[in-house]
Amino acid sequence: MQRREQPQSPCLTDVEPDRISCLPGHVIDQILSHLSIREAVRTSVLSSKWRYKWATLPNLVFDNQCVSVASQDHMIIKNKLLRIIDHVLLLHSGPINKFKLSHRDLIGVTDIDRWTLHLFRNSIKEFVLEIWKGQRYKIHSCLFSCQSLNHLELFNCWLKPPSTFQGFRNLKSLDLQHVTLAQDVFENLISSCPLLERLTLMNFDGFTHLNIDAPNLLFFDIGGKFEDISFENTFQLAVVSIGLYLNFEINQSRLHGGSSNLLKFFVHLPHVQRLEVQSYFLKYLAVGVVPIKLPRPCIDLSYLSIRINFNDLKEISAALCLLRSSPNLQELEILARPEEQTVLLTHTYCWEDVYFTCPVMQLRYVKIDCISGIKPELDFINFLLLYSPVLERMTVKPVSNAGLELMKELLRFRRASGRAEIIYLDPS
């Protein structure tokens, strides 16, 4: 007779395995990658397997989330931030692909030099440094010898590379905001990054002439005060946004007979797809001779945004030149500069000539903002409606002092497109 086994008591069964400890390594890495540094370090209490897992994180981000203190004393917060960064870098093992330092209480302390020296001994790929307070922080020379970088982002910094600097051969993305660098330093920096694809420049000083020589550049975004801009070997550039923050007066002595900023600007931009002409940059483009249209049309341009003074006849001419030269344009955004439109024109624009020289446009969506209802604005809108047979929607948003009369005028205009709707947005 077979002996009957006694059933095991529940208290004698194996303890359920710790599911957190049993997670595969790549899953733990994925979880940690979505946490802040502060939260990642705190996971060390979960189990022995997690204890030092945070110390292998390849992406280190020190921002406002990594410090939690009850005190509002900036010195206490800063000192705690410094201790955290020291602690993390001391215990970190393995490669560091990305290092980002951006905290609202951070000023340009000497500790940054020590950290960058440590980081650039490794093959770091992304480096982001944002100094939110104090004077420009002078970047340590060791940065300029780091050839593994593919993304560099600096805020409130001063760049003065050593004479031995030969560029960043692997850099693909460069973002410089509130920076200082000399004219020759800027030109050498751009031309010696052969793989550069994205370039952002905002609020810079030390140079006023933007000479962009970048054969692989795809994206260019700039906003600042400058005197001149030119492109060379930028035939792949597709997205361009330029804001000139200076309402300059044209120096007639600098103009040569037959010169044209419009023609010079577009020579090396044959494949631009999106173009934003912001602040006073249209005024710059209108300097010199404004052609009826460009010698080579912008056949890839599908989106155009223009900020314009409708009381400036040359700016209107420059805008019309862009429209005539963009046969495949589908989206247009017009932003008026009402602060300059207080003085009435003594001469009106000759729209009869425009009607004879402008081909039918392929515009589908038009957005017009900040208009006040003056005649040059209405003439321009009337022209767009008459020469856009496939237009689907035009959105108009006036400044606060425009009223019901403007809406009535818009509704009176004839439309070449039977499907076009005009949407009037209340400025409030």
Side-chain angles (χ1 to χ4, degrees), residues 200-422:
T200 300
L201 295 169
M202 293 289 166
N203 299 301
F204 44 85
D205 55 67
F207 60 99
T208 57
H209 292 73
L210 304 173
N211 303 315
I212 311 299
D213 185 350
N216 287 294
L217 196 62
L218 302 173
F219 173 94
F220 180 58
D221 185 11
I222 178 177
K225 297 178 181 179
F226 56 90
E227 293 180 11
D228 196 22
I229 184 169
S230 62
F231 295 94
E232 189 173 347
N233 300 319
T234 52
F235 298 110
Q236 297 190 57
L237 193 49
V239 179
V240 178
S241 177
I242 302 181
L244 176 57
Y245 299 163
L246 182 67
N247 186 4
F248 66 98
E249 292 299 325
I250 300 170
N251 188 347
Q252 297 294 334
S253 63
R254 295 178 57 186
L255 297 179
H256 304 288
S259 65
S260 168
N261 279 359
L262 260 174
L263 293 177
K264 184 185 72 169
F265 180 77
F266 282 96
V267 167
H268 292 268
L269 297 177
H271 299 298
V272 62
Q273 298 173 15
R274 291 179 62 91
L275 175 61
E276 296 182 6
V277 178
Q278 303 298 332
S279 300
Y280 297 100
F281 190 60
L282 188 63
K283 188 170 185 176
Y284 167 88
L285 290 178
V287 171
V289 177
V290 178
I292 298 296
K293 63 180 180 179
L294 300 174
R296 181 167 50 185
C298 303
I299 58 174
D300 297 314
L301 189 64
S302 61
Y303 174 88
L304 176 63
S305 175
I306 301 175
R307 187 171 283 273
I308 182 173
N309 173 13
F310 280 103
N311 269 346
D312 188 321
L313 298 182
K314 290 204 72 175
E315 286 194 34
I316 294 176
S317 294
L320 290 172
C321 174
L322 294 179
L323 292 177
R324 291 189 192 98
S325 307
S326 308
N328 299 312
L329 188 66
Q330 304 227 336
E331 291 185 62
L332 174 65
E333 182 179 32
I334 299 287
L335 298 99
R337 297 203 303 270
E339 69 278 5
E340 294 183 281
Q341 297 179 176
T342 54
V343 180
L344 294 177
L345 280 173
T346 54
H347 302 285
T348 58
Y349 203 84
C350 185
W351 285 98
E352 289 78 9
D353 294 341
V354 176
Y355 294 147
F356 283 116
T357 58
C358 191
V360 168
M361 295 180 289
Q362 301 302 312
L363 285 172
R364 293 185 178 275
Y365 306 101
V366 176
K367 181 180 178 182
I368 301 173
D369 209 343
C370 295
I371 63 170
S372 53
I374 62 176
K375 189 176 186 304
E377 294 171 341
L378 296 175
D379 288 341
F380 201 94
I381 293 173
N382 187 35
F383 159 71
L384 292 176
L385 290 171
L386 285 175
Y387 279 79
S388 304
V390 294
L391 185 67
E392 297 179 18
R393 182 173 66 249
M394 175 182 283
T395 304
V396 179
K397 185 177 182 181
V399 291
S400 57
N401 59 348
L404 187 62
E405 289 303 314
L406 172 60
M407 187 164 56
K408 290 178 180 178
E409 285 290 336
L410 294 175
L411 293 175
R412 289 193 193 105
F413 290 149
R414 290 173 52 202
R415 309 171 200 180
S417 170
R419 295 186 301 166
E421 60 173 338
I422 298 179

Side-chain angles (χ1 to χ4, degrees), residues 1-221:
M1 189 171 176
Q2 198 171 14
R3 188 175 175 180
R4 193 174 182 183
E5 291 186 6
Q6 293 286 338
Q8 285 188 338
S9 171
C11 63
L12 298 177
T13 58
D14 291 337
V15 178
E16 261 192 54
D18 179 1
R19 293 186 179 182
I20 276 188
S21 297
C22 292
L23 287 173
H26 72 278
V27 174
I28 296 177
D29 291 340
Q30 187 69 18
I31 293 171
L32 290 173
S33 70
H34 288 86
L35 302 178
S36 67
I37 282 287
R38 179 168 167 266
E39 293 168 332
V41 172
R42 292 173 69 183
T43 62
S44 60
V45 302
L46 293 177
S47 73
S48 58
K49 187 175 180 180
W50 284 71
R51 188 171 183 184
Y52 293 111
K53 197 68 178 172
W54 67 268
T56 62
L57 280 173
N59 299 329
L60 303 180
V61 177
F62 300 95
D63 55 17
N64 295 331
Q65 298 181 45
C66 75
V67 180
S68 176
V69 290
S71 173
Q72 295 298 313
D73 190 305
H74 297 305
M75 188 59 66
I76 293 175
I77 297 173
K78 188 195 79 170
N79 290 336
K80 183 165 185 179
L81 174 66
L82 301 185
R83 288 197 301 272
I84 289 173
I85 297 174
D86 278 337
H87 179 74
V88 170
L89 291 180
L90 179 66
L91 295 181
H92 192 277
S93 60
I96 298 176
N97 294 332
K98 175 182 178 179
F99 180 88
K100 178 177 180 178
L101 178 54
S102 174
H103 193 281
R104 62 176 176 267
D105 291 303
L106 180 68
I107 58 175
V109 293
T110 55
D111 301 78
I112 298 175
D113 286 352
R114 181 165 48 82
W115 298 328
T116 52
L117 277 167
H118 172 77
L119 290 166
F120 295 135
R121 290 193 189 105
N122 302 298
S123 297
I124 187 168
K125 292 180 172 59
E126 296 185 37
F127 183 73
V128 180
L129 177 60
E130 297 178 337
I131 308 295
W132 291 100
K133 291 185 176 181
Q135 297 178 336
R136 298 271 201 267
Y137 167 72
K138 185 180 179 183
I139 294 294
H140 195 280
S141 59
C142 65
L143 167 72
F144 301 99
S145 61
C146 185
Q147 292 300 323
S148 58
L149 280 175
N150 60 38
H151 176 79
L152 177 60
E153 195 171 330
L154 302 174
F155 185 96
N156 195 23
C157 293
W158 174 28
L159 286 77
K160 191 176 182 182
S163 58
T164 55
F165 176 60
Q166 296 182 346
F168 297 110
R169 62 173 177 264
N170 291 304
L171 195 68
K172 292 188 174 183
S173 176
L174 178 62
D175 188 325
L176 302 176
Q177 302 193 38
H178 295 271
V179 294
T180 299
L181 58 164
Q183 182 71 49
D184 60 330
V185 171
F186 170 73
E187 292 184 12
N188 182 53
L189 175 63
I190 302 305
S191 62
S192 58
C193 298
L195 301 184
L196 192 64
E197 296 177 355
R198 298 179 64 89
L199 175 58
T200 300
L201 295 169
M202 293 289 166
N203 299 301
F204 44 85
D205 55 67
F207 60 99
T208 57
H209 292 73
L210 304 173
N211 303 315
I212 311 299
D213 185 350
N216 287 294
L217 196 62
L218 302 173
F219 173 94
F220 180 58
D221 185 11

